[in-house]
Amino acid sequence: MFTLDAVTYRIPGKTLLHPLDLRIDHGRMIGLIGHNGSGKSTLIKLLARQLTPSDGQITLEDTPLADWRDRALARQIAYLPQQLPPADGLTATDLVRFGRYPWHGALGRFSQEDQAQVDRAMAMTGIEDFADRAVDALSGGERQRVWLAMLLAQNPRYLLLDEPTSALDIAHQVEVLSLVHQLCNHLDIGVVVVLHDINMAARYCDHLIALHSGRLLVQGSADELMSSDTLQAIYGIPMSVMPHPNTEGDRIAVVY
């Protein structure tokens, strides 16, 4: 698990994340929610060691995150940024193969085990049919599944996803988040995902962490957070919560 002890992040003239104590358990899909500028992307970048805390300490499996060697950490954590790197000239298979780098290095031989992990990742994300197509020629949903396959090829224990649905239409948002939730359960991995849509977060995440102005506001299950007062505190606007029309026991939030 991840443990954060008084973790703070500052830039000149501004504190983006105030002292934060938090525990993120393995084996669950955890959603980071909150308004723009609440600190969600800052937090996930700190977990991915893309940023270094200004104060405090993050530990992963009881070892300070700063003490992990790069390749060893890449065998634990797979990170998908909000802005994806270019994939010029790469096929889907080419990109997924990059996920094996932490296991054999830049000059290591691509082994049968590496190929087996690539094949497994592509099968689990359903991208075999466009394995030889250029990544840049794929639709948004297809491209996102290819990147997920690359992360899975790393065989990590945690997936860290920064707004993986932000550029997708509603149908592809459902497709991607449903897939991520299935992978979390099937592979027994931890997932931390930044999401803007509270209804998507409530539908697919096992636990929600709400930030506001760089501070932890509230955390809990979707049932615990899906109330008008709590959502207004998180997002700063009046919201109504009502029963889901098609799913008994679930609720949806509506802006009014």
Side-chain angles (χ1 to χ4, degrees):
M1 65 181 176
F2 284 99
T3 304
L4 289 78
D5 181 14
V7 170
T8 303
Y9 185 75
R10 294 185 298 270
I11 59 175
K14 187 174 183 180
T15 298
L16 299 182
L17 199 67
H18 295 268
L20 178 62
D21 295 310
L22 191 63
R23 189 175 110 169
I24 298 176
D25 291 327
H26 180 263
R28 294 196 293 173
M29 185 164 170
I30 295 174
L32 301 182
I33 61 173
H35 61 82
N36 286 343
S38 61
K40 304 183 301 296
S41 289
T42 298
L43 175 54
I44 205 165
K45 288 176 182 176
L46 287 166
L47 296 176
R49 210 169 69 178
Q50 302 297 303
L51 298 175
T52 301
S54 302
D55 294 298
Q57 181 173 265
I58 303 174
T59 60
L60 173 63
E61 308 301 342
D62 299 323
T63 298
L65 199 60
D67 292 350
W68 285 84
R69 297 176 67 89
D70 288 344
R71 283 178 59 188
L73 186 64
R75 296 179 182 185
Q76 296 286 323
I77 295 172
Y79 168 63
L80 191 67
Q82 184 177 348
Q83 299 296 326
L84 297 176
D88 298 340
L90 294 177
T91 67
T93 300
D94 292 334
L95 184 59
V96 177
R97 285 169 64 96
F98 279 122
R100 296 304 298 166
Y101 172 79
W103 297 92
H104 62 69
L107 302 178
R109 177 177 171 271
F110 200 84
S111 68
Q112 289 184 340
E113 173 61 20
D114 292 322
Q115 187 60 53
Q117 291 292 340
V118 167
D119 292 343
R120 169 177 170 269
M122 295 179 73
M124 294 191 73
T125 51
I127 65 170
E128 304 103 311
D129 288 346
F130 41 88
D132 297 325
R133 290 174 56 190
V135 174
D136 291 341
L138 300 174
S139 70
E142 291 170 340
R143 190 160 51 245
Q144 207 71 335
R145 281 193 281 146
V146 172
W147 281 99
L148 283 173
M150 189 203 72
L151 302 188
L152 292 179
Q154 284 183 227
N155 200 23
R157 300 189 70 245
Y158 292 90
L159 295 181
L160 307 180
L161 312 175
D162 192 354
E163 296 190 36
T165 61
S166 61
L168 303 180
D169 60 33
I170 293 176
H172 285 113
Q173 289 179 36
V174 170
E175 176 186 280
V176 168
L177 291 177
S178 177
L179 173 61
V180 171
H181 190 259
Q182 290 171 23
L183 294 170
C184 175
N185 291 333
H186 181 70
L187 299 176
D188 189 29
I189 57 178
V191 176
V192 182
V193 55
V194 174
L195 292 171
H196 276 296
D197 189 320
I198 181 58
N199 289 313
M200 291 291 186
R203 180 175 179 180
Y204 292 107
C205 294
D206 304 308
H207 187 82
L208 300 176
I209 295 172
L211 300 176
H212 191 286
S213 302
R215 292 180 170 88
L216 175 63
L217 181 64
V218 63
Q219 63 174 315
S221 68
D223 284 343
E224 294 171 319
L225 268 63
M226 288 291 275
S227 72
S228 297
D229 290 344
T230 300
L231 294 180
Q232 182 165 355
I234 294 171
Y235 293 103
I237 56 173
M239 301 182 77
S240 178
V241 177
M242 61 185 64
H244 194 288
N246 298 320
T247 309
E248 185 177 355
D250 288 345
R251 289 174 290 172
I252 57 172
V254 179
V255 178
Y256 64 88

